[in-house]
Amino acid sequence: MHSATDSSATPGPGPDLDRPLALRRLVYLPEADEVTIGSPETDTYAVFPADGAELVRMLAEGRTPREAAAQYEDAHGESVDIADLIDVLVDLELVRPAGESTAAGPTAPVRWQRLGRLVFAPPALAGYALITALAVAEMIRVPALVPRVDNLFFSSSYTLVVLMLFVGQLPLLALHEAFHALAGRRLGLRSRLSVGRRLVYLVLETSLDGLVGVPRRKRYLPIMAGMLADTLVIAVLTLVADATRSGSPLTAELCLAMAYATALRLAWQGFFYLRTDLYVLLSTVLGCVDLHAAATDVLRNAARRATGRPPLDLSAHHPVDRRVARWYAWLMLVGYAFTLTMFAGVVVPTAYRMLHDMWLRLTGQASLAGRLDSLALMLLSLAQTTAVIVLAARERRAARAT
């Protein structure tokens, strides 16, 4: 932010330094020697050094950029590139566009805020803990209730298995994201739901941009809310399966299949090389900015040293990120090892069983229904793969445009 000369002496077009900026309503969250500044009106936030935040406050109080720069120089003994700061504020959409009223109108209330408070009230959380404890106790008493791969095959029709798991997981995925959104909305934060991709899987994602503008201790529940929802789903499905084992075996088998699929999504959080909820939680607890990028560069440097190549410069990363990345990089390797374990223990046996049976049905003396079932499963798999490829291509085009 600092420069050798004051921008007021720089010729050429630029912002009017003698007119106060029309800034939006701003919020400030000091943490250590940095301040997060943003606006609830646009849900855009950025981390500023403490002296930069001081300069933004001057502008927000109505001082002209020239006055704020002069006051800053008097207080700190060095000049500041005020035009550069203005460009940053404009890029963050913290400056009102020309023609937009500078009067801060009433902010639209956040919907579902009351529901969020009810869902995460202490009695509700105590109820979730009780349900989970009961499910764990039943798993100990009846080991057949423990999630395992065989639970997926509740029907001889693999197409029905895949469809039921896909259709059944959609509301559970929505519940996972709804818990994130409601935990944020109870704090007055808006949220956005989008479709994303993790490796070869399509996922739903909830964006809570305003979360960085609340105290750190209040961020933990919105971050963990999705994992809480998954744990609660597994517990409820297990208890329903236990209650219907004798009267309605198919219902019990379906519940166990759904519980196992949800357990796989919960285990996904251990893939530390991805930006999972656990990664976000850890980054928030430790006060990191972009731990993933720093840890990735640490691993790259380890590979470069092993091959005799010069290491990458890590100075561009935040100091906290550099410090944490020294050990988190190895945790990412644990995530890769866990992924390989899951692949070998879950994906390979499941795929082998399905492909083996499909081959026998298509080449043997299987019934017409069995052959149609195998063909339908192949089409479903192709459709999912196509969707992932299309989304990946769209992300690449967006990245190139950016």
Side-chain angles (χ1 to χ4, degrees), residues 265-280:
R265 287 196 290 105
L266 190 57
W268 171 279
Q269 302 298 334
F271 295 177
F272 294 105
Y273 56 91
L274 298 176
R275 300 174 189 267
T276 63
D277 293 347
L278 276 182
Y279 162 80
V280 176

Side-chain angles (χ1 to χ4, degrees), residues 208-231:
L208 290 168
D209 296 333
L211 197 61
V212 299
V214 301
R216 190 180 303 178
R217 61 182 178 81
K218 293 185 178 181
R219 303 178 203 170
Y220 300 146
L221 183 55
I223 293 171
M224 298 175 61
M227 292 184 286
L228 171 61
D230 291 340
T231 302

